[in-house]
């Protein structure tokens, strides 16, 4: 059954979503606050014909919230209804997310025509629209090509996700260094994230440094030198996260270093301590993508 035929027979928004899921051959997806969510593309769906820029506005609210939480965001955004669809690379909208001149709605559902007017001058030229009656094949191909492209938008390191990023760094990178004193993880972590892979963006704490021997990372702390037992975790970690952190966050993140130390070490330093499960509670992850 063609997408056009399925949309003609659709009786609800859920039917519209399912018609697109089938036509696009989506193998992994989740339906939730974002109508259809895959690793590569997020979709906003409507049962009745709706202006694409309005639907993109709703998606941008979700993208902005996810980015602030330090969660992964997709490389592409798509909007769909009974008659048309549109596609846009997420990266084209990223400068908007920190634009203080915009009045951001409190929720995606509150993003209506007023918000659409604000963002239209910035994103309208990056939207490709398709009329399903005429452009069905072109849209399906464009989305499938976008999924195959596997473009990566790396997650920034921010005050909001610092603890989650650190814990993941310890699991993927720190555990490969043979460090005996857990307190050293924090200083080595900051030496790593404050380096862009070619040069230091900011001096790390306690004299910790990251150097490269060819393309192999070498960590220096005092008289100790640490090399990775396996580089796989290191490469995977930096395929997920963006470094260094934005300049506006760097000093604050360094000031939070003591909060990443083991609890006994924090008490020894006399630092005021609030358990990190209270101050850095991560947002619950979405359920696994369904098939």
């Amino acid at each position: 059954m063609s997408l056009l035929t399925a949309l003609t027979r659709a009786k609800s928004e859920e039917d519209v979503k399912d018609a697109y899921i089938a036509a696009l051959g989506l193998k992994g997806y989740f339906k939730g606050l974002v109508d259809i969510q895959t690793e590569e593309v997020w979709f906003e769906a409507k049962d009745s014909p709706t202006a694409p820029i309005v639907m993109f506005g709703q998606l941008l609210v979700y993208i902005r919230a996810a980015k602030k939480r330090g969660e992964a965001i997709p490389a592409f955004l798509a909007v769909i209804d009974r008659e048309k669809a549109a596609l846009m690379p997420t990266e084209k909208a990223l400068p908007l997310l920190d634009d203080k001149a915009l009045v951001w709605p409190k929720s995606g559902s509150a993003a209506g025509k007023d918000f659409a007017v604000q963002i239209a001058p910035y994103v309208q030229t990056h939207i490709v629209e398709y009329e399903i009656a005429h452009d069905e094949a072109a849209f399906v191909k464009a989305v499938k090509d976008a999924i195959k492209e596997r473009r990566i938008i790396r997650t920034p390191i921010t005050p909001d996700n610092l603890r989650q990023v650190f814990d993941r760094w310890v699991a993927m990178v720190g555990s490969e260094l043979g460090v005996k004193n857990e307190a050293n993880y924090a200083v080595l972590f900051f030496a790593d994230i404050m380096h862009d892979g070619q040069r230091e963006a900011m001096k790390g704490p306690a004299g910790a440094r990251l150097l490269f021997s060819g393309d192999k990372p070498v960590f220096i702390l005092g008289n100790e030198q640490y090399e990775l037992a396996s580089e796989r975790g290191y490469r995977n970690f930096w395929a997920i996260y963006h470094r260094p952190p934005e300049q506006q966050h760097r000093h604050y993140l360094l000031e939070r270093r003591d909060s990443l130390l083991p609890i006994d070490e924090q008490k020894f330093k006399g630092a005021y301590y609030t358990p990190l499960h209270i101050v850095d509670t991560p947002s619950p992850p979405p359920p696994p993508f369904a098939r």
Side-chain angles (χ1 to χ4, degrees):
M1 183 188 303
S2 71
L3 174 57
L4 181 61
T5 301
L7 291 173
T8 301
R9 298 179 180 180
K11 297 181 179 179
S12 67
E13 184 175 299
E14 286 303 310
D15 291 342
V16 170
K17 295 178 193 177
D18 290 340
Y20 278 95
I21 288 169
L24 297 171
L26 300 182
K27 301 300 182 182
Y29 61 87
F30 170 69
K31 292 181 179 179
L33 190 62
V34 177
D35 286 327
I36 305 171
Q37 183 176 350
T38 74
E39 293 181 10
E40 304 87 359
V41 189
W42 286 6
F43 298 79
E44 177 67 21
K46 298 294 182 186
D47 183 26
S48 57
T50 304
I53 193 64
V54 172
M55 291 192 277
F56 276 117
Q58 294 185 31
L59 276 178
L60 289 179
V61 173
Y62 300 138
I63 289 291
R64 181 172 181 260
K67 183 174 180 287
K68 288 181 69 174
R69 293 192 297 265
E71 298 172 359
I73 58 177
F76 293 90
L77 305 177
V79 298
I80 52 179
D81 64 25
R82 288 177 176 271
E83 297 179 353
K84 61 189 174 301
L87 189 65
M88 179 178 70
T90 307
E91 64 187 357
K92 298 298 184 182
L94 291 181
L96 287 179
L97 305 185
D98 298 317
D99 190 337
K100 296 180 180 179
L102 294 180
V103 180
W104 285 88
K106 293 183 178 180
S107 65
S109 60
K113 292 181 179 179
D114 289 343
F115 185 62
V117 169
Q118 291 186 73
I119 65 171
Y122 302 91
V123 302
Q124 192 73 58
T125 57
H126 302 299
I127 296 171
V128 180
E129 297 187 36
Y130 304 84
E131 294 291 335
I132 298 303
H134 307 289
D135 306 319
E136 175 180 334
F139 173 70
V140 170
K141 182 179 186 303
V143 173
K144 289 184 175 181
D145 287 348
I147 292 172
K148 288 179 183 178
E149 187 176 326
R150 301 296 295 176
R151 189 185 305 177
I152 295 173
I153 295 182
R154 288 178 172 84
T155 303
I157 301 171
T158 70
D160 292 327
N161 69 354
L162 178 63
R163 182 68 202 200
Q164 297 96 290
V165 176
F166 173 71
D167 287 344
R168 197 164 188 187
W169 183 91
V170 170
M172 298 175 71
V173 180
S175 61
E176 298 287 341
L177 293 174
V179 175
K180 295 180 181 179
N181 182 354
E182 290 186 7
N184 288 339
Y185 280 141
V187 292
L188 295 172
F189 166 72
F190 277 102
D192 199 9
I193 70 170
M194 294 300 176
H195 199 290
D196 67 6
Q198 295 183 328
R199 61 184 63 85
E200 290 180 332
M202 188 174 185
K203 291 289 185 183
R209 297 192 65 195
L210 172 63
L211 305 175
F212 282 86
S213 177
D215 61 354
K216 184 176 182 180
V218 179
F219 291 84
I220 308 295
L221 180 58
N223 295 323
E224 297 292 331
Q225 178 173 305
Y226 301 99
E227 297 185 13
L228 295 163
S230 168
E231 294 181 36
R232 181 178 180 182
Y234 190 82
R235 303 304 175 199
N236 287 346
F237 181 86
W238 288 118
I240 297 169
Y241 295 101
H242 175 76
R243 66 176 178 181
E246 293 180 11
Q247 190 166 5
Q248 65 192 37
H249 297 316
R250 292 175 193 172
H251 285 287
Y252 179 77
L253 291 174
L254 283 173
E255 290 171 358
R256 293 288 308 277
R257 180 177 69 87
D258 287 350
S259 70
L260 302 179
L261 295 171
I263 294 177
D264 289 344
E265 187 78 12
Q266 293 183 46
K267 291 179 178 178
F268 175 77
K269 285 179 173 288
Y272 175 80
Y273 175 66
T274 301
L276 281 163
H277 72 274
I278 295 176
V279 299
D280 272 337
T281 302
S283 302
F289 293 126
R291 292 185 70 86

